[in-house]
Amino acid sequence: MINYLINLFFPKVCDGCHSILLQNENVFCTICRHEMPLTQYHLNPKNEAVKKFYGKVDVQFASAFLYFNKKGMVQELIHNLKYKGHEEIGSVLGQWYVEDLKELQLEVPFDAVIPVPLHKRKFKERGYNQVTTFGKAIATGFEIPFDENLLIRKVYSKTQSKKNLLGRSENIENIFDVKFTETNHNKHFLIVDDVLTTGATIEACSRALLKIPGVKISVICMAMANS
């Protein structure tokens, strides 16, 4: 009865279009779920996400779940996740995508999921890392650890969204580091992030992780900017 009254006066709405969710819908309405701009990159070993890292850093596998377009549905989802505390969006997207990824029966299994970290100050300001729920859902699906302590962000920096490619690269080149032990040697780490744009942030994360002997890197993002 209490839940009924809550839903009556404060109905749950779709994070994509803001329509009221039906009883069997969760986070996204059925229409939005069917209209999600899926990249299907995981089916193409030479996809656009992989090309972002050609000649920069060696990645074993790279993919993004959705296309990100300005003023589109995915931008609304990422905004709600990143700035409005709707962390459930990351969980649902991660649960959805990991099922697609598992169907590939990837030849090289991952040893742990590593989220792109926030600086302590940024984490305190926001209260959470927007990548956490997505990364945990991926880790749970693959039955591997989610490690948010290995990779650290040393320098506080403002948003990268308004910087050009050169400015971003210069700004983030040395702001990540790793705290590792011998148990982290020879591992295959899966880096997860929200939106893949220039690839500079993940490249910097990868270079930090590659300080660990024998490490391999793969990348999965919620979305990729549609060029």
PDB file of all heavy atoms in Angstrom, residues 21-59:
ATOM      1  N   LEU A  21       6.877   5.475 -16.099  1.00  0.00           N
ATOM      2  CA  LEU A  21       7.184   4.077 -16.331  1.00  0.00           C
ATOM      3  C   LEU A  21       6.004   3.184 -15.957  1.00  0.00           C
ATOM      4  O   LEU A  21       5.317   3.432 -14.969  1.00  0.00           O
ATOM      5  CB  LEU A  21       8.411   3.654 -15.520  1.00  0.00           C
ATOM      6  CG  LEU A  21       9.753   4.280 -15.913  1.00  0.00           C
ATOM      7  CD1 LEU A  21      10.833   3.850 -14.925  1.00  0.00           C
ATOM      8  CD2 LEU A  21      10.148   3.890 -17.330  1.00  0.00           C
ATOM      9  N   LEU A  22       5.802   2.162 -16.747  1.00  0.00           N
ATOM     10  CA  LEU A  22       4.796   1.164 -16.424  1.00  0.00           C
ATOM     11  C   LEU A  22       5.343   0.232 -15.343  1.00  0.00           C
ATOM     12  O   LEU A  22       6.534   0.248 -15.024  1.00  0.00           O
ATOM     13  CB  LEU A  22       4.422   0.374 -17.680  1.00  0.00           C
ATOM     14  CG  LEU A  22       3.861   1.199 -18.844  1.00  0.00           C
ATOM     15  CD1 LEU A  22       3.581   0.309 -20.038  1.00  0.00           C
ATOM     16  CD2 LEU A  22       2.607   1.953 -18.417  1.00  0.00           C
ATOM     17  N   GLN A  23       4.477  -0.594 -14.811  1.00  0.00           N
ATOM     18  CA  GLN A  23       4.847  -1.441 -13.665  1.00  0.00           C
ATOM     19  C   GLN A  23       6.019  -2.358 -13.977  1.00  0.00           C
ATOM     20  O   GLN A  23       6.854  -2.625 -13.122  1.00  0.00           O
ATOM     21  CB  GLN A  23       3.640  -2.262 -13.220  1.00  0.00           C
ATOM     22  CG  GLN A  23       3.876  -3.025 -11.916  1.00  0.00           C
ATOM     23  CD  GLN A  23       2.612  -3.688 -11.419  1.00  0.00           C
ATOM     24  OE1 GLN A  23       1.581  -3.650 -12.067  1.00  0.00           O
ATOM     25  NE2 GLN A  23       2.687  -4.308 -10.258  1.00  0.00           N
ATOM     26  N   ASN A  24       6.120  -2.864 -15.201  1.00  0.00           N
ATOM     27  CA  ASN A  24       7.170  -3.815 -15.546  1.00  0.00           C
ATOM     28  C   ASN A  24       8.394  -3.142 -16.174  1.00  0.00           C
ATOM     29  O   ASN A  24       9.286  -3.821 -16.668  1.00  0.00           O
ATOM     30  CB  ASN A  24       6.629  -4.879 -16.502  1.00  0.00           C
ATOM     31  CG  ASN A  24       6.144  -4.290 -17.819  1.00  0.00           C
ATOM     32  OD1 ASN A  24       5.821  -3.098 -17.881  1.00  0.00           O
ATOM     33  ND2 ASN A  24       6.086  -5.096 -18.863  1.00  0.00           N
ATOM     34  N   GLU A  25       8.435  -1.823 -16.174  1.00  0.00           N
ATOM     35  CA  GLU A  25       9.563  -1.106 -16.757  1.00  0.00           C
ATOM     36  C   GLU A  25      10.493  -0.603 -15.656  1.00  0.00           C
ATOM     37  O   GLU A  25      10.051  -0.267 -14.557  1.00  0.00           O
ATOM     38  CB  GLU A  25       9.068   0.077 -17.606  1.00  0.00           C
ATOM     39  CG  GLU A  25       8.288  -0.372 -18.833  1.00  0.00           C
ATOM     40  CD  GLU A  25       7.701   0.801 -19.603  1.00  0.00           C
ATOM     41  OE1 GLU A  25       7.457   1.872 -18.991  1.00  0.00           O
ATOM     42  OE2 GLU A  25       7.470   0.652 -20.817  1.00  0.00           O
ATOM     43  N   ASN A  26      11.789  -0.548 -15.965  1.00  0.00           N
ATOM     44  CA  ASN A  26      12.786  -0.150 -14.975  1.00  0.00           C
ATOM     45  C   ASN A  26      13.796   0.806 -15.605  1.00  0.00           C
ATOM     46  O   ASN A  26      14.500   0.438 -16.546  1.00  0.00           O
ATOM     47  CB  ASN A  26      13.513  -1.390 -14.437  1.00  0.00           C
ATOM     48  CG  ASN A  26      14.578  -1.040 -13.416  1.00  0.00           C
ATOM     49  OD1 ASN A  26      14.431  -0.092 -12.644  1.00  0.00           O
ATOM     50  ND2 ASN A  26      15.663  -1.810 -13.407  1.00  0.00           N
ATOM     51  N   VAL A  27      13.861   2.010 -15.124  1.00  0.00           N
ATOM     52  CA  VAL A  27      14.790   3.057 -15.550  1.00  0.00           C
ATOM     53  C   VAL A  27      14.451   3.600 -16.933  1.00  0.00           C
ATOM     54  O   VAL A  27      14.346   4.806 -17.132  1.00  0.00           O
ATOM     55  CB  VAL A  27      16.265   2.588 -15.511  1.00  0.00           C
ATOM     56  CG1 VAL A  27      17.200   3.703 -15.943  1.00  0.00           C
ATOM     57  CG2 VAL A  27      16.634   2.123 -14.108  1.00  0.00           C
ATOM     58  N   PHE A  28      14.285   2.705 -17.935  1.00  0.00           N
ATOM     59  CA  PHE A  28      13.930   3.130 -19.284  1.00  0.00           C
ATOM     60  C   PHE A  28      12.561   2.571 -19.661  1.00  0.00           C
ATOM     61  O   PHE A  28      12.227   1.427 -19.318  1.00  0.00           O
ATOM     62  CB  PHE A  28      14.942   2.629 -20.322  1.00  0.00           C
ATOM     63  CG  PHE A  28      16.371   2.849 -19.941  1.00  0.00           C
ATOM     64  CD1 PHE A  28      17.258   1.789 -19.869  1.00  0.00           C
ATOM     65  CD2 PHE A  28      16.843   4.121 -19.653  1.00  0.00           C
ATOM     66  CE1 PHE A  28      18.581   1.975 -19.519  1.00  0.00           C
ATOM     67  CE2 PHE A  28      18.157   4.320 -19.304  1.00  0.00           C
ATOM     68  CZ  PHE A  28      19.035   3.255 -19.233  1.00  0.00           C
ATOM     69  N   CYS A  29      11.800   3.349 -20.396  1.00  0.00           N
ATOM     70  CA  CYS A  29      10.544   2.820 -20.926  1.00  0.00           C
ATOM     71  C   CYS A  29      10.864   1.897 -22.096  1.00  0.00           C
ATOM     72  O   CYS A  29      11.977   1.907 -22.645  1.00  0.00           O
ATOM     73  CB  CYS A  29       9.620   3.958 -21.362  1.00  0.00           C
ATOM     74  SG  CYS A  29      10.188   4.877 -22.808  1.00  0.00           S
ATOM     75  N   THR A  30       9.883   1.098 -22.497  1.00  0.00           N
ATOM     76  CA  THR A  30      10.090   0.137 -23.572  1.00  0.00           C
ATOM     77  C   THR A  30      10.462   0.827 -24.872  1.00  0.00           C
ATOM     78  O   THR A  30      11.323   0.351 -25.631  1.00  0.00           O
ATOM     79  CB  THR A  30       8.814  -0.704 -23.775  1.00  0.00           C
ATOM     80  OG1 THR A  30       8.496  -1.365 -22.545  1.00  0.00           O
ATOM     81  CG2 THR A  30       9.007  -1.742 -24.871  1.00  0.00           C
ATOM     82  N   ILE A  31       9.846   1.970 -25.149  1.00  0.00           N
ATOM     83  CA  ILE A  31      10.136   2.699 -26.385  1.00  0.00           C
ATOM     84  C   ILE A  31      11.593   3.157 -26.411  1.00  0.00           C
ATOM     85  O   ILE A  31      12.306   2.961 -27.403  1.00  0.00           O
ATOM     86  CB  ILE A  31       9.185   3.901 -26.546  1.00  0.00           C
ATOM     87  CG1 ILE A  31       7.750   3.407 -26.753  1.00  0.00           C
ATOM     88  CG2 ILE A  31       9.623   4.785 -27.709  1.00  0.00           C
ATOM     89  CD1 ILE A  31       6.724   4.525 -26.797  1.00  0.00           C
ATOM     90  N   CYS A  32      12.043   3.768 -25.331  1.00  0.00           N
ATOM     91  CA  CYS A  32      13.437   4.238 -25.278  1.00  0.00           C
ATOM     92  C   CYS A  32      14.416   3.080 -25.376  1.00  0.00           C
ATOM     93  O   CYS A  32      15.456   3.181 -26.031  1.00  0.00           O
ATOM     94  CB  CYS A  32      13.680   5.032 -24.001  1.00  0.00           C
ATOM     95  SG  CYS A  32      13.040   6.726 -24.064  1.00  0.00           S
ATOM     96  N   ARG A  33      14.091   1.982 -24.731  1.00  0.00           N
ATOM     97  CA  ARG A  33      14.992   0.817 -24.784  1.00  0.00           C
ATOM     98  C   ARG A  33      15.172   0.343 -26.223  1.00  0.00           C
ATOM     99  O   ARG A  33      16.271  -0.005 -26.645  1.00  0.00           O
ATOM    100  CB  ARG A  33      14.444  -0.306 -23.914  1.00  0.00           C
ATOM    101  CG  ARG A  33      15.430  -1.463 -23.750  1.00  0.00           C
ATOM    102  CD  ARG A  33      14.909  -2.512 -22.790  1.00  0.00           C
ATOM    103  NE  ARG A  33      15.842  -3.620 -22.671  1.00  0.00           N
ATOM    104  CZ  ARG A  33      16.769  -3.743 -21.757  1.00  0.00           C
ATOM    105  NH1 ARG A  33      16.921  -2.788 -20.854  1.00  0.00           N
ATOM    106  NH2 ARG A  33      17.585  -4.780 -21.721  1.00  0.00           N
ATOM    107  N   HIS A  34      14.084   0.358 -26.995  1.00  0.00           N
ATOM    108  CA  HIS A  34      14.163  -0.084 -28.389  1.00  0.00           C
ATOM    109  C   HIS A  34      14.815   0.957 -29.288  1.00  0.00           C
ATOM    110  O   HIS A  34      15.286   0.616 -30.384  1.00  0.00           O
ATOM    111  CB  HIS A  34      12.772  -0.432 -28.908  1.00  0.00           C
ATOM    112  CG  HIS A  34      12.261  -1.750 -28.413  1.00  0.00           C
ATOM    113  ND1 HIS A  34      12.815  -2.956 -28.784  1.00  0.00           N
ATOM    114  CD2 HIS A  34      11.247  -2.058 -27.558  1.00  0.00           C
ATOM    115  CE1 HIS A  34      12.171  -3.953 -28.185  1.00  0.00           C
ATOM    116  NE2 HIS A  34      11.224  -3.437 -27.434  1.00  0.00           N
ATOM    117  N   GLU A  35      14.838   2.205 -28.840  1.00  0.00           N
ATOM    118  CA  GLU A  35      15.415   3.270 -29.659  1.00  0.00           C
ATOM    119  C   GLU A  35      16.841   3.628 -29.250  1.00  0.00           C
ATOM    120  O   GLU A  35      17.425   4.569 -29.798  1.00  0.00           O
ATOM    121  CB  GLU A  35      14.526   4.515 -29.591  1.00  0.00           C
ATOM    122  CG  GLU A  35      13.183   4.324 -30.282  1.00  0.00           C
ATOM    123  CD  GLU A  35      12.320   5.575 -30.268  1.00  0.00           C
ATOM    124  OE1 GLU A  35      12.694   6.555 -29.571  1.00  0.00           O
ATOM    125  OE2 GLU A  35      11.286   5.578 -30.951  1.00  0.00           O
ATOM    126  N   MET A  36      17.395   2.889 -28.304  1.00  0.00           N
ATOM    127  CA  MET A  36      18.773   3.149 -27.899  1.00  0.00           C
ATOM    128  C   MET A  36      19.707   3.011 -29.109  1.00  0.00           C
ATOM    129  O   MET A  36      19.648   2.019 -29.842  1.00  0.00           O
ATOM    130  CB  MET A  36      19.212   2.149 -26.827  1.00  0.00           C
ATOM    131  CG  MET A  36      18.596   2.373 -25.472  1.00  0.00           C
ATOM    132  SD  MET A  36      19.317   3.759 -24.605  1.00  0.00           S
ATOM    133  CE  MET A  36      18.397   3.647 -23.062  1.00  0.00           C
ATOM    134  N   PRO A  37      20.597   3.996 -29.325  1.00  0.00           N
ATOM    135  CA  PRO A  37      21.510   3.942 -30.481  1.00  0.00           C
ATOM    136  C   PRO A  37      22.700   3.018 -30.208  1.00  0.00           C
ATOM    137  O   PRO A  37      23.792   3.462 -29.845  1.00  0.00           O
ATOM    138  CB  PRO A  37      21.941   5.405 -30.638  1.00  0.00           C
ATOM    139  CG  PRO A  37      21.872   5.959 -29.253  1.00  0.00           C
ATOM    140  CD  PRO A  37      20.709   5.267 -28.578  1.00  0.00           C
ATOM    141  N   LEU A  38      22.506   1.730 -30.364  1.00  0.00           N
ATOM    142  CA  LEU A  38      23.542   0.735 -30.091  1.00  0.00           C
ATOM    143  C   LEU A  38      24.630   0.781 -31.159  1.00  0.00           C
ATOM    144  O   LEU A  38      24.338   0.837 -32.360  1.00  0.00           O
ATOM    145  CB  LEU A  38      22.930  -0.667 -30.041  1.00  0.00           C
ATOM    146  CG  LEU A  38      21.734  -0.875 -29.108  1.00  0.00           C
ATOM    147  CD1 LEU A  38      21.220  -2.308 -29.238  1.00  0.00           C
ATOM    148  CD2 LEU A  38      22.112  -0.568 -27.661  1.00  0.00           C
ATOM    149  N   THR A  39      25.879   0.721 -30.732  1.00  0.00           N
ATOM    150  CA  THR A  39      26.982   0.752 -31.702  1.00  0.00           C
ATOM    151  C   THR A  39      27.259  -0.622 -32.315  1.00  0.00           C
ATOM    152  O   THR A  39      27.727  -0.710 -33.450  1.00  0.00           O
ATOM    153  CB  THR A  39      28.287   1.218 -31.032  1.00  0.00           C
ATOM    154  OG1 THR A  39      28.714   0.227 -30.089  1.00  0.00           O
ATOM    155  CG2 THR A  39      28.099   2.563 -30.336  1.00  0.00           C
ATOM    156  N   GLN A  40      27.048  -1.671 -31.550  1.00  0.00           N
ATOM    157  CA  GLN A  40      27.422  -3.036 -31.936  1.00  0.00           C
ATOM    158  C   GLN A  40      28.926  -3.158 -32.204  1.00  0.00           C
ATOM    159  O   GLN A  40      29.380  -4.040 -32.935  1.00  0.00           O
ATOM    160  CB  GLN A  40      26.630  -3.482 -33.189  1.00  0.00           C
ATOM    161  CG  GLN A  40      25.135  -3.479 -33.027  1.00  0.00           C
ATOM    162  CD  GLN A  40      24.626  -4.502 -32.013  1.00  0.00           C
ATOM    163  OE1 GLN A  40      25.330  -5.454 -31.682  1.00  0.00           O
ATOM    164  NE2 GLN A  40      23.422  -4.308 -31.534  1.00  0.00           N
ATOM    165  N   TYR A  41      29.712  -2.263 -31.602  1.00  0.00           N
ATOM    166  CA  TYR A  41      31.162  -2.283 -31.799  1.00  0.00           C
ATOM    167  C   TYR A  41      31.795  -3.594 -31.364  1.00  0.00           C
ATOM    168  O   TYR A  41      32.823  -4.005 -31.915  1.00  0.00           O
ATOM    169  CB  TYR A  41      31.817  -1.143 -31.003  1.00  0.00           C
ATOM    170  CG  TYR A  41      31.744   0.224 -31.648  1.00  0.00           C
ATOM    171  CD1 TYR A  41      32.121   1.358 -30.931  1.00  0.00           C
ATOM    172  CD2 TYR A  41      31.308   0.399 -32.961  1.00  0.00           C
ATOM    173  CE1 TYR A  41      32.071   2.621 -31.501  1.00  0.00           C
ATOM    174  CE2 TYR A  41      31.248   1.656 -33.534  1.00  0.00           C
ATOM    175  CZ  TYR A  41      31.625   2.766 -32.797  1.00  0.00           C
ATOM    176  OH  TYR A  41      31.590   4.008 -33.368  1.00  0.00           O
ATOM    177  N   HIS A  42      31.216  -4.230 -30.352  1.00  0.00           N
ATOM    178  CA  HIS A  42      31.825  -5.459 -29.845  1.00  0.00           C
ATOM    179  C   HIS A  42      31.866  -6.574 -30.881  1.00  0.00           C
ATOM    180  O   HIS A  42      32.593  -7.545 -30.723  1.00  0.00           O
ATOM    181  CB  HIS A  42      31.086  -5.933 -28.586  1.00  0.00           C
ATOM    182  CG  HIS A  42      29.643  -6.242 -28.809  1.00  0.00           C
ATOM    183  ND1 HIS A  42      28.690  -5.265 -29.019  1.00  0.00           N
ATOM    184  CD2 HIS A  42      28.966  -7.428 -28.854  1.00  0.00           C
ATOM    185  CE1 HIS A  42      27.503  -5.828 -29.177  1.00  0.00           C
ATOM    186  NE2 HIS A  42      27.647  -7.134 -29.080  1.00  0.00           N
ATOM    187  N   LEU A  43      31.091  -6.416 -31.946  1.00  0.00           N
ATOM    188  CA  LEU A  43      31.072  -7.426 -33.004  1.00  0.00           C
ATOM    189  C   LEU A  43      32.139  -7.171 -34.071  1.00  0.00           C
ATOM    190  O   LEU A  43      32.320  -7.999 -34.958  1.00  0.00           O
ATOM    191  CB  LEU A  43      29.692  -7.453 -33.674  1.00  0.00           C
ATOM    192  CG  LEU A  43      28.503  -7.756 -32.752  1.00  0.00           C
ATOM    193  CD1 LEU A  43      27.198  -7.677 -33.525  1.00  0.00           C
ATOM    194  CD2 LEU A  43      28.662  -9.121 -32.100  1.00  0.00           C
ATOM    195  N   ASN A  44      32.822  -6.023 -33.976  1.00  0.00           N
ATOM    196  CA  ASN A  44      33.800  -5.628 -34.987  1.00  0.00           C
ATOM    197  C   ASN A  44      35.157  -5.388 -34.329  1.00  0.00           C
ATOM    198  O   ASN A  44      35.344  -4.377 -33.655  1.00  0.00           O
ATOM    199  CB  ASN A  44      33.327  -4.355 -35.704  1.00  0.00           C
ATOM    200  CG  ASN A  44      34.333  -3.877 -36.742  1.00  0.00           C
ATOM    201  OD1 ASN A  44      35.300  -4.567 -37.067  1.00  0.00           O
ATOM    202  ND2 ASN A  44      34.098  -2.683 -37.263  1.00  0.00           N
ATOM    203  N   PRO A  45      36.135  -6.265 -34.527  1.00  0.00           N
ATOM    204  CA  PRO A  45      37.452  -6.110 -33.894  1.00  0.00           C
ATOM    205  C   PRO A  45      38.187  -4.835 -34.309  1.00  0.00           C
ATOM    206  O   PRO A  45      39.125  -4.409 -33.635  1.00  0.00           O
ATOM    207  CB  PRO A  45      38.221  -7.348 -34.365  1.00  0.00           C
ATOM    208  CG  PRO A  45      37.171  -8.331 -34.764  1.00  0.00           C
ATOM    209  CD  PRO A  45      36.032  -7.512 -35.304  1.00  0.00           C
ATOM    210  N   LYS A  46      37.781  -4.226 -35.425  1.00  0.00           N
ATOM    211  CA  LYS A  46      38.433  -3.001 -35.910  1.00  0.00           C
ATOM    212  C   LYS A  46      37.469  -1.820 -35.849  1.00  0.00           C
ATOM    213  O   LYS A  46      37.437  -0.973 -36.732  1.00  0.00           O
ATOM    214  CB  LYS A  46      38.951  -3.200 -37.324  1.00  0.00           C
ATOM    215  CG  LYS A  46      40.026  -4.283 -37.435  1.00  0.00           C
ATOM    216  CD  LYS A  46      40.552  -4.422 -38.854  1.00  0.00           C
ATOM    217  CE  LYS A  46      41.635  -5.488 -38.945  1.00  0.00           C
ATOM    218  NZ  LYS A  46      42.177  -5.624 -40.327  1.00  0.00           N
ATOM    219  N   ASN A  47      36.688  -1.768 -34.782  1.00  0.00           N
ATOM    220  CA  ASN A  47      35.680  -0.716 -34.647  1.00  0.00           C
ATOM    221  C   ASN A  47      36.306   0.652 -34.364  1.00  0.00           C
ATOM    222  O   ASN A  47      37.509   0.780 -34.156  1.00  0.00           O
ATOM    223  CB  ASN A  47      34.667  -1.092 -33.559  1.00  0.00           C
ATOM    224  CG  ASN A  47      35.298  -1.181 -32.187  1.00  0.00           C
ATOM    225  OD1 ASN A  47      35.781  -0.199 -31.631  1.00  0.00           O
ATOM    226  ND2 ASN A  47      35.318  -2.393 -31.616  1.00  0.00           N
ATOM    227  N   GLU A  48      35.460   1.683 -34.335  1.00  0.00           N
ATOM    228  CA  GLU A  48      35.937   3.053 -34.161  1.00  0.00           C
ATOM    229  C   GLU A  48      36.551   3.298 -32.782  1.00  0.00           C
ATOM    230  O   GLU A  48      37.431   4.157 -32.630  1.00  0.00           O
ATOM    231  CB  GLU A  48      34.792   4.043 -34.392  1.00  0.00           C
ATOM    232  CG  GLU A  48      34.267   4.059 -35.822  1.00  0.00           C
ATOM    233  CD  GLU A  48      35.360   4.411 -36.824  1.00  0.00           C
ATOM    234  OE1 GLU A  48      36.102   5.387 -36.570  1.00  0.00           O
ATOM    235  OE2 GLU A  48      35.476   3.715 -37.854  1.00  0.00           O
ATOM    236  N   ALA A  49      36.103   2.569 -31.786  1.00  0.00           N
ATOM    237  CA  ALA A  49      36.706   2.710 -30.450  1.00  0.00           C
ATOM    238  C   ALA A  49      38.144   2.210 -30.462  1.00  0.00           C
ATOM    239  O   ALA A  49      39.048   2.850 -29.888  1.00  0.00           O
ATOM    240  CB  ALA A  49      35.885   1.949 -29.411  1.00  0.00           C
ATOM    241  N   VAL A  50      38.387   1.093 -31.109  1.00  0.00           N
ATOM    242  CA  VAL A  50      39.741   0.553 -31.222  1.00  0.00           C
ATOM    243  C   VAL A  50      40.647   1.544 -31.952  1.00  0.00           C
ATOM    244  O   VAL A  50      41.797   1.780 -31.558  1.00  0.00           O
ATOM    245  CB  VAL A  50      39.727  -0.802 -31.971  1.00  0.00           C
ATOM    246  CG1 VAL A  50      41.150  -1.276 -32.249  1.00  0.00           C
ATOM    247  CG2 VAL A  50      38.970  -1.853 -31.161  1.00  0.00           C
ATOM    248  N   LYS A  51      40.114   2.155 -33.013  1.00  0.00           N
ATOM    249  CA  LYS A  51      40.918   3.077 -33.828  1.00  0.00           C
ATOM    250  C   LYS A  51      41.372   4.307 -33.042  1.00  0.00           C
ATOM    251  O   LYS A  51      42.362   4.940 -33.401  1.00  0.00           O
ATOM    252  CB  LYS A  51      40.122   3.505 -35.061  1.00  0.00           C
ATOM    253  CG  LYS A  51      39.884   2.370 -36.059  1.00  0.00           C
ATOM    254  CD  LYS A  51      39.043   2.839 -37.232  1.00  0.00           C
ATOM    255  CE  LYS A  51      38.756   1.694 -38.199  1.00  0.00           C
ATOM    256  NZ  LYS A  51      37.887   2.134 -39.332  1.00  0.00           N
ATOM    257  N   LYS A  52      40.645   4.649 -31.988  1.00  0.00           N
ATOM    258  CA  LYS A  52      41.033   5.796 -31.166  1.00  0.00           C
ATOM    259  C   LYS A  52      42.432   5.628 -30.566  1.00  0.00           C
ATOM    260  O   LYS A  52      43.103   6.606 -30.248  1.00  0.00           O
ATOM    261  CB  LYS A  52      40.034   5.986 -30.015  1.00  0.00           C
ATOM    262  CG  LYS A  52      38.685   6.525 -30.432  1.00  0.00           C
ATOM    263  CD  LYS A  52      38.730   8.008 -30.748  1.00  0.00           C
ATOM    264  CE  LYS A  52      37.340   8.551 -31.037  1.00  0.00           C
ATOM    265  NZ  LYS A  52      37.393   9.990 -31.403  1.00  0.00           N
ATOM    266  N   PHE A  53      42.860   4.370 -30.406  1.00  0.00           N
ATOM    267  CA  PHE A  53      44.110   4.104 -29.704  1.00  0.00           C
ATOM    268  C   PHE A  53      45.238   3.641 -30.623  1.00  0.00           C
ATOM    269  O   PHE A  53      46.333   3.370 -30.147  1.00  0.00           O
ATOM    270  CB  PHE A  53      43.858   3.078 -28.597  1.00  0.00           C
ATOM    271  CG  PHE A  53      42.773   3.498 -27.647  1.00  0.00           C
ATOM    272  CD1 PHE A  53      41.506   2.933 -27.721  1.00  0.00           C
ATOM    273  CD2 PHE A  53      43.003   4.482 -26.707  1.00  0.00           C
ATOM    274  CE1 PHE A  53      40.494   3.330 -26.866  1.00  0.00           C
ATOM    275  CE2 PHE A  53      42.004   4.903 -25.844  1.00  0.00           C
ATOM    276  CZ  PHE A  53      40.740   4.321 -25.929  1.00  0.00           C
ATOM    277  N   TYR A  54      44.972   3.564 -31.942  1.00  0.00           N
ATOM    278  CA  TYR A  54      46.013   3.157 -32.880  1.00  0.00           C
ATOM    279  C   TYR A  54      47.232   4.069 -32.758  1.00  0.00           C
ATOM    280  O   TYR A  54      47.124   5.293 -32.799  1.00  0.00           O
ATOM    281  CB  TYR A  54      45.498   3.229 -34.318  1.00  0.00           C
ATOM    282  CG  TYR A  54      44.616   2.071 -34.751  1.00  0.00           C
ATOM    283  CD1 TYR A  54      43.930   2.117 -35.967  1.00  0.00           C
ATOM    284  CD2 TYR A  54      44.469   0.923 -33.978  1.00  0.00           C
ATOM    285  CE1 TYR A  54      43.117   1.071 -36.383  1.00  0.00           C
ATOM    286  CE2 TYR A  54      43.668  -0.121 -34.371  1.00  0.00           C
ATOM    287  CZ  TYR A  54      42.989  -0.053 -35.581  1.00  0.00           C
ATOM    288  OH  TYR A  54      42.182  -1.092 -35.985  1.00  0.00           O
ATOM    289  N   GLY A  55      48.407   3.469 -32.594  1.00  0.00           N
ATOM    290  CA  GLY A  55      49.637   4.229 -32.529  1.00  0.00           C
ATOM    291  C   GLY A  55      49.852   4.982 -31.229  1.00  0.00           C
ATOM    292  O   GLY A  55      50.837   5.718 -31.098  1.00  0.00           O
ATOM    293  N   LYS A  56      48.934   4.834 -30.280  1.00  0.00           N
ATOM    294  CA  LYS A  56      49.045   5.550 -29.007  1.00  0.00           C
ATOM    295  C   LYS A  56      49.294   4.608 -27.846  1.00  0.00           C
ATOM    296  O   LYS A  56      50.223   4.785 -27.070  1.00  0.00           O
ATOM    297  CB  LYS A  56      47.758   6.357 -28.762  1.00  0.00           C
ATOM    298  CG  LYS A  56      47.475   7.405 -29.822  1.00  0.00           C
ATOM    299  CD  LYS A  56      46.150   8.088 -29.570  1.00  0.00           C
ATOM    300  CE  LYS A  56      45.828   9.106 -30.657  1.00  0.00           C
ATOM    301  NZ  LYS A  56      44.492   9.730 -30.463  1.00  0.00           N
ATOM    302  N   VAL A  57      48.439   3.631 -27.721  1.00  0.00           N
ATOM    303  CA  VAL A  57      48.591   2.655 -26.645  1.00  0.00           C
ATOM    304  C   VAL A  57      47.998   1.337 -27.135  1.00  0.00           C
ATOM    305  O   VAL A  57      47.007   1.323 -27.881  1.00  0.00           O
ATOM    306  CB  VAL A  57      47.888   3.140 -25.352  1.00  0.00           C
ATOM    307  CG1 VAL A  57      46.396   3.255 -25.541  1.00  0.00           C
ATOM    308  CG2 VAL A  57      48.220   2.230 -24.176  1.00  0.00           C
ATOM    309  N   ASP A  58      48.619   0.245 -26.759  1.00  0.00           N
ATOM    310  CA  ASP A  58      48.185  -1.079 -27.216  1.00  0.00           C
ATOM    311  C   ASP A  58      47.017  -1.569 -26.367  1.00  0.00           C
ATOM    312  O   ASP A  58      47.157  -1.785 -25.167  1.00  0.00           O
ATOM    313  CB  ASP A  58      49.352  -2.064 -27.122  1.00  0.00           C
ATOM    314  CG  ASP A  58      49.000  -3.435 -27.675  1.00  0.00           C
ATOM    315  OD1 ASP A  58      48.098  -3.510 -28.532  1.00  0.00           O
ATOM    316  OD2 ASP A  58      49.637  -4.425 -27.259  1.00  0.00           O
ATOM    317  N   VAL A  59      45.847  -1.724 -26.978  1.00  0.00           N
ATOM    318  CA  VAL A  59      44.692  -2.269 -26.271  1.00  0.00           C
ATOM    319  C   VAL A  59      44.302  -3.601 -26.911  1.00  0.00           C
ATOM    320  O   VAL A  59      44.351  -3.765 -28.122  1.00  0.00           O
ATOM    321  CB  VAL A  59      43.487  -1.301 -26.282  1.00  0.00           C
ATOM    322  CG1 VAL A  59      43.821  -0.016 -25.553  1.00  0.00           C
ATOM    323  CG2 VAL A  59      43.026  -0.996 -27.696  1.00  0.00           C
TER     324      VAL A  59
END
